[in-house]
Amino acid sequence: MDVAWEEFGWERLAAGVGRRRLPGWDATVGLVVGEDAALLFDAGSTLREGAAIRAQTQRLLGGRRVTHIALSHAHFDHVLGAAAFAGAQVFGAVGLDEVLVRERDALRADAVREGVAEDEAGEAADVLVHPHHLVCAEWTLDLGGRQVLLANVGPGHTGHDLALLVPGPPSAVVFCGDLVEESGEPQAGPDAFPKRWPAALDRLLALGGVDAAYVPGHGAVVDAAFVRAQRDELAARFAVA
C-alpha cells in the first residue's frame, strides 16, 4: 500500500520509497516501506529533529514505526537524531561504531559550530546511538515483500560511507549520503579520502546503473550522468586517474 507522501511533507520517489529534505543543512532522510518493516536512511541533526521525523514517519506508516535505520556516515547532521527511534535496528559501515565512540565530542563541537544549540548538541551526543550491525561489503534486508541492499562503498566522503539500493521496477533508487551532493560542492573535510572518492562513485554507479535515481546527501535527486560528472570533477580536483 502506498501513501500520499506529499501530504506529510515528503517527496515520493517510487512506490513505498520517499525522502525529505530537512531544514538548516538541506540534509536528506529517506524512507523505504515494506509489508513488515520500514527502513529510515539517516536520522537528522538533533533529538528534536529526530522526534519530528519519527512523528512524520508514523503518520506516513499509519501508526507503524521505523524498524531499521541505516546511517550513511558519521557527521552530526546525519546521525544525532537516531536516538529518537527507540527499538530500531541500526546499521552502519564497518568502523562507524569506533568513529562514533572516538569522535563523540567532535560531533558535538561540529554541531554547535554549525548552529545547533549547545544544550541540544550535548543531549544528542550523550545518547548517541551506535550501530547494532556493521556492513563489511553488502547486506540484504528483507522488509517484507521488498528487499533492499546496504552497500559499504567507501571510503570517500568519509572512511565509512554506506549507500542504500532500492531495486526497481521501474528503476532503482540509490541513497548516496554525502558521496553525492547537488546543492553545493562535495565537501572534503579532514576525514575524507579524496583520492579514493572517485572509486566510491564508480561503485555507486555500478550499484544503481544508468537508469537509477540517485539521492544525494544534500540537494535534489540526480541521474547517473550527474554522478558521473561529479566523479570526474573530483578526480580532476584531486588528480586521480
Side-chain angles (χ1 to χ4, degrees):
M1 182 183 71
D2 213 1
V3 294
W5 296 81
E6 288 76 10
E7 292 181 11
F8 299 94
W10 289 62
E11 177 185 357
R12 181 185 182 277
L13 303 176
V17 185
R19 68 90 174 245
R20 184 177 178 90
R21 293 170 69 170
L22 301 173
W25 299 275
D26 193 25
T28 283
V29 291
L31 184 66
V32 184
V33 183
E35 295 172 2
D36 304 322
L39 170 69
L40 184 73
F41 189 79
D42 284 338
S45 59
T46 64
L47 291 176
R48 179 162 52 90
E49 189 164 67
I53 296 165
R54 182 191 66 216
Q56 292 162 4
T57 56
Q58 282 188 247
R59 290 196 294 272
L60 273 167
L61 297 169
R64 293 166 53 196
R65 295 191 175 196
V66 165
T67 54
H68 301 73
I69 296 174
L71 299 177
S72 65
H73 64 288
H75 287 168
F76 82 92
D77 50 332
H78 299 265
V79 303
L80 287 184
F85 295 86
Q89 292 295 299
V90 180
F91 293 75
V94 166
L96 183 71
D97 53 340
E98 297 173 4
V99 172
L100 292 177
V101 170
R102 186 174 65 246
E103 301 295 333
R104 186 183 70 173
D105 291 341
L107 280 172
R108 178 193 291 114
D110 284 348
V112 172
R113 190 179 304 112
E114 294 295 331
V116 175
E118 192 165 351
D119 59 340
E120 281 196 285
E123 179 186 27
D126 285 345
V127 293
L128 188 61
V129 172
H130 299 165
H132 305 108
H133 309 284
L134 298 171
V135 181
C136 178
E138 296 180 349
W139 190 311
T140 299
L141 285 177
D142 188 345
L143 303 179
R146 155 170 270 149
Q147 290 190 333
V148 300
L149 182 73
L150 298 174
N152 184 342
V153 296
H157 177 65
T158 70
H160 312 89
D161 294 309
L162 190 71
L164 168 65
L165 170 68
V166 185
S171 299
V173 178
V174 182
F175 289 90
C176 307
D178 287 2
L179 285 167
V180 178
E181 296 196 38
E182 186 276 335
S183 56
E185 280 197 2
Q187 298 300 304
D191 56 347
F193 287 74
K195 291 188 179 296
R196 298 178 68 177
W197 199 330
L201 294 183
D202 287 337
R203 287 190 284 274
L204 273 184
L205 288 165
L207 195 66
V210 296
D211 295 324
Y214 292 85
V215 185
H218 302 263
V221 176
V222 300
D223 59 12
F226 181 97
V227 177
R228 192 173 300 109
Q230 194 158 94
R231 181 256 181 234
D232 292 343
E233 290 168 7
L234 287 166
R237 179 174 161 190
F238 298 117
V240 178

